[in-house]
Amino acid sequence: MPYPATSVGVARDEISLAVLYNAADVVAVPSRVESFGQTASEPLACGTPAVAFDASALPEIIDHRENGYLAKAYDPADFAAGLRWVLESPERHRQLADAGREKACRTFSQELVAARTKAIYASMSESTAA
């Protein structure tokens, strides 16, 4: 079953990117390597499920079949199956979107990341002082 796709060019600012993520039904992240996976965490924060390969740092962001889909590493057929899986059920899509937004707020908020970073630096200072 074909799904419509629209090319929108390049988003040059955070507001445009957030609008696009919110307008999307799913975000495909076909990267072979991601050190963090911002392209997966940002759509989750906007309540948009993501599909990615089960490789690199992406499994730390996407919980398979909970807030997106992790395809077998570098298997394009499974990647396509993941896109279909996300899109074929409106109820499932809503559950994935809600779970993604909840995880992003719980795990990747600015306050939480800042507190974790501060704690890491503090522990490094303590270990060098000892």
Side-chain angles (χ1 to χ4, degrees), residues 66-102:
E66 290 180 29
N67 56 27
Y69 188 95
L70 290 170
K72 186 170 27 168
Y74 321 125
D75 181 341
D78 193 29
F79 194 90
L83 291 169
R84 280 191 302 276
W85 183 81
V86 168
L87 295 171
E88 69 189 1
S89 166
E91 178 59 30
R92 178 187 305 135
H93 185 275
R94 174 58 26 218
Q95 291 170 350
L96 294 168
D98 291 345
R101 174 78 178 140
E102 189 277 326

Side-chain angles (χ1 to χ4, degrees), residues 111-127:
E111 297 79 15
L112 182 60
V113 171
R116 286 179 180 166
T117 302
K118 184 177 177 182
I120 290 169
Y121 280 111
S123 71
M124 290 170 52
S125 297
E126 293 168 6
S127 66

Side-chain angles (χ1 to χ4, degrees), residues 4-127:
T6 303
S7 176
V8 295
V10 177
R12 300 196 186 279
D13 59 81
E14 292 175 7
I15 294 171
S16 297
L17 192 57
V19 167
L20 291 171
Y21 283 141
N22 278 289
D25 294 314
V26 64
V27 172
V29 185
S31 307
R32 295 182 63 82
V33 176
E34 286 280 347
S35 60
F36 171 69
Q38 193 116 356
T39 55
S41 64
E42 288 175 342
L44 294 186
C46 292
T48 301
V51 174
F53 289 120
D54 188 4
S56 194
L58 292 165
E60 295 179 36
I61 297 162
I62 299 173
D63 301 310
H64 184 58
R65 294 185 175 222
E66 290 180 29
N67 56 27
Y69 188 95
L70 290 170
K72 186 170 27 168
Y74 321 125
D75 181 341
D78 193 29
F79 194 90
L83 291 169
R84 280 191 302 276
W85 183 81
V86 168
L87 295 171
E88 69 189 1
S89 166
E91 178 59 30
R92 178 187 305 135
H93 185 275
R94 174 58 26 218
Q95 291 170 350
L96 294 168
D98 291 345
R101 174 78 178 140
E102 189 277 326
K103 179 177 183 172
C105 290
R106 176 177 37 87
T107 309
F108 305 122
S109 73
Q110 290 178 347
E111 297 79 15
L112 182 60
V113 171
R116 286 179 180 166
T117 302
K118 184 177 177 182
I120 290 169
Y121 280 111
S123 71
M124 290 170 52
S125 297
E126 293 168 6
S127 66

